[in-house]
Amino acid sequence: MAVTEPVPPELGDPILELLNGFIVELRNAGLPVSLTENLDAMEAVRHVPIGERETFKYALAATLVKHANHWKAFETVFEVYFSLRGQEYSIGDGADDLPEMDDEGEEGQEGAGDQQGGGGGENLTPEELAEMLFQALMRGDQQMMRGVARQSVKRYAGMEPGRPVGGTYYLYRTLRNLDLEGVLERLLEQEQNDEGEASEFEQRLQRDEYQTRIDQLQKEIEAEIRRRLVADRGVEAMAKTLRKPLPEDVDFMHASREEMASLRKAIYPLTRKLASRLQRKRRHGRKGPLDFRRTVRASLSYGGVPAEPKFRNPKPHKPEIFVIADISGSVAAFARFTLHLVYAISGQFSKVRAFVFIDGLDEVTRYFEGVEDINEAVHRVNTEADVVWVDGHSDYGHALGVFWEKYGKDIGPRTSIMILGDARNNYHASESWIIKEMKEKARQVHWLNPEPRSYWDTGDSIVGEYAQYTDGCFEVRNLRQLEAFVEHLA
């Protein structure tokens, strides 16, 4: 949807069009950009020249980014929309057609952006380019590194116009030819020859310094590839290609290892909020028994009529949490998240009992007690828990039966039960009466389902049969939905 907010007259049409497209793409990526923030961004760019690229970027970020988790998405969109443009970044004209750029020319174009690539060197041999790379990293020469990055992409990436290949492939081809690990060892060897034998600590500092320069060179190469892809495919197409879900929208079922690591960090604040929600509900939702003495004393003001009954304060008690989680193969990725959630909840409540099941069920509370490393607890759950009864395929009915037989007596009016699973029962008996009995004995029963709501009650899913006896069945596939569930408890 096009942005139609009024704009300052000082902004020209090209930058206005670019900024509008930029903000639309931010919204498509999931960043909440309001009308006010849009106007703030326009006001900010009036005072910052677009040539001062880093300052320009942070000026926009200050007005448009409200959460640290959104920074990566913002930076990706910025690098696409405000990448350097020009004929020199086109693909397919042949390496020899690229304009010659010497150091003086580079300095003259500094105003166009800090990431302007160095040029020239089309006639360099691979050995000469490798030597230029070595010298650039040895001296930490930013200008030379940009030039090397540009020449390396032009020479080694093999980019072709219209070729449906991602930037990662071109990056791999370029880095493979540069052999940066070998360059790093050569740099360290040269440093040792020049400066003499260094202590272990000094060697570590040198390695870190050179590694930082190499990382910077790699970023320059990535930027150069991105600029050429934008020139070939257009801004909107590249933005759509690079668009990734925000951390709070990452599906638990398809999260990568890196995404799971960031999700684990976000779980703990949510569990603290969950704890505060339950405590608040306990504090305001119930009254204690009638205080007869205070009621009689208050009745003296009304001529002996007990018009203002007084109640005792409810005795504070800590909530008891039962977590029953499906860890079968159909929800394997969600199960990993579930176990981390159980671990985080255990840190917030003193009375948490955890159960896992496939077609059998076992209590795993002891695996999370006094454990510093969550991976150790997860490993023990996966290897020691007795959760297979017959064939290791989900059987909710039998697992619930085992739970009710062994642990049903422990459920009381202070118990909150969270069941996590997709309710795909492989056409076994549902035994849904057990959920009904849980609801009658427990304070509340909630079901968290990692499947999209449109998949519920399709195939062997019987979540609707269970959900009718719960206090709520929620689709929880990402952090945003988990947070909405926690808010629902308020």
Side-chain angles (χ1 to χ4, degrees), residues 136 139-147 213 216 220:
R139 289 185 281 175
D141 189 325
Q142 306 287 330
Q143 196 71 20
M144 188 179 291
M145 278 197 279
R146 283 193 283 272
R213 295 178 187 178
Q216 189 173 354
E220 293 290 349

Side-chain angles (χ1 to χ4, degrees), residues 20 51 67 107 321 391 481 483:
N20 280 343
H67 197 285
E107 292 175 1
I321 309 293
D391 56 2
Q481 292 175 335
E483 188 167 5

Side-chain angles (χ1 to χ4, degrees), residues 23-134:
I23 290 177
V24 169
E25 178 56 30
L26 286 180
R27 289 170 174 163
N28 290 336
L31 270 70
V33 181
S34 67
L35 170 62
T36 303
E37 291 158 349
N38 190 359
L39 294 175
D40 289 344
M42 292 182 177
E43 182 65 21
V45 299
R46 289 178 55 197
H47 304 281
V48 181
I50 192 172
E52 298 179 10
R53 186 177 176 81
E54 289 300 303
T55 307
F56 187 80
K57 180 170 75 173
Y58 283 101
L60 287 178
T63 57
L64 299 174
V65 180
K66 295 185 286 292
H67 197 285
N69 289 340
H70 298 166
W71 171 255
K72 188 173 183 179
F74 168 85
E75 196 170 33
T76 300
V77 178
F78 179 86
E79 294 298 336
V80 171
Y81 270 82
F82 295 96
S83 64
L84 299 177
R85 315 289 175 84
Q87 188 179 1
E88 63 270 29
Y89 299 111
S90 60
I91 303 174
D93 294 336
D96 294 335
D97 294 336
L98 293 173
E100 185 77 24
M101 297 174 64
D102 54 21
D103 290 343
E104 184 178 351
E106 285 292 313
E107 292 175 1
Q109 297 197 20
E110 273 296 294
D114 293 337
Q115 295 190 9
Q116 175 68 44
E122 285 82 2
N123 298 322
L124 290 175
T125 64
E127 291 76 15
E128 290 172 333
L129 183 59
E131 181 60 23
M132 184 182 293
L133 167 65
F134 176 80

Side-chain angles (χ1 to χ4, degrees), residues 18 37 103 110 143 149 174 178 180 182 194 264 285 301 320 415 425 458 475:
L18 198 61
E37 291 158 349
D103 290 343
E110 273 296 294
Q143 196 71 20
T174 305
L178 293 181
L180 294 179
D194 294 343
R264 285 197 293 271
S301 303
E320 300 172 354
T415 306
N425 199 34
T458 63
E475 175 186 335

Side-chain angles (χ1 to χ4, degrees), residues 221-401:
I221 294 173
E222 292 174 357
E224 181 66 24
I225 293 173
R226 187 166 49 243
R227 282 193 284 269
R228 290 172 181 268
L229 290 176
V230 170
D232 180 53
R233 303 176 185 177
V235 172
E236 289 77 12
M238 273 302 295
K240 188 175 181 180
T241 301
L242 297 176
R243 190 184 303 161
K244 292 183 178 179
L246 298 176
E248 58 264 37
D249 293 324
V250 171
D251 195 327
F252 297 142
M253 301 280 278
H254 305 102
S256 64
R257 187 179 298 274
E258 293 76 16
E259 289 170 336
M260 280 301 298
S262 63
L263 289 177
R264 285 197 293 271
K265 295 178 183 175
I267 288 175
Y268 295 95
L270 270 181
T271 53
R272 284 197 293 272
K273 186 180 291 185
L274 176 62
S276 66
R277 292 287 185 273
L278 291 176
Q279 288 171 353
R280 183 188 305 172
K281 197 163 188 175
R282 185 184 67 236
R283 188 164 56 246
H284 297 295
R286 304 175 68 179
K287 289 182 178 180
L290 179 69
D291 189 333
F292 184 76
R293 295 180 62 182
R294 289 178 58 208
T295 301
V296 170
R297 191 178 302 119
S299 71
L300 297 178
S301 303
Y302 302 96
V305 177
E308 186 180 359
K310 302 292 185 181
F311 298 90
R312 298 179 187 276
N313 293 326
K315 292 183 178 179
H317 64 272
K318 296 181 179 179
E320 300 172 354
I321 309 293
F322 279 23
V323 181
I324 307 173
D326 180 2
I327 60 169
S328 63
S330 63
V331 291
F334 181 68
R336 283 187 297 155
F337 167 79
T338 296
L339 294 177
H340 284 87
L341 178 64
V342 170
Y343 179 74
I345 291 176
S346 301
Q348 299 296 326
F349 299 94
S350 59
K351 296 183 179 179
V352 177
R353 297 180 67 178
F355 307 86
V356 294
F357 67 91
I358 296 181
D359 56 347
L361 179 140
D362 194 9
E363 181 173 4
V364 295
T365 307
R366 60 189 181 281
Y367 299 153
F368 295 96
E369 293 175 348
V371 175
E372 295 292 337
D373 184 5
I374 174 61
N375 293 321
E376 179 185 344
V378 171
H379 178 72
R380 291 191 64 190
V381 170
N382 291 329
T383 57
E384 300 180 23
D386 182 16
V387 293
V388 176
W389 175 50
V390 177
D391 56 2
H393 292 86
S394 296
D395 186 343
Y396 279 66
H398 182 263
L400 290 174

Side-chain angles (χ1 to χ4, degrees), residues 191-209:
E191 184 77 19
Q192 187 172 352
N193 293 336
D194 294 343
E195 303 296 335
E197 190 68 28
S199 65
E200 184 177 349
F201 179 69
E202 291 173 334
Q203 291 179 11
R204 180 179 172 184
L205 290 179
Q206 291 168 359
R207 178 178 288 274
D208 290 345
E209 173 62 25

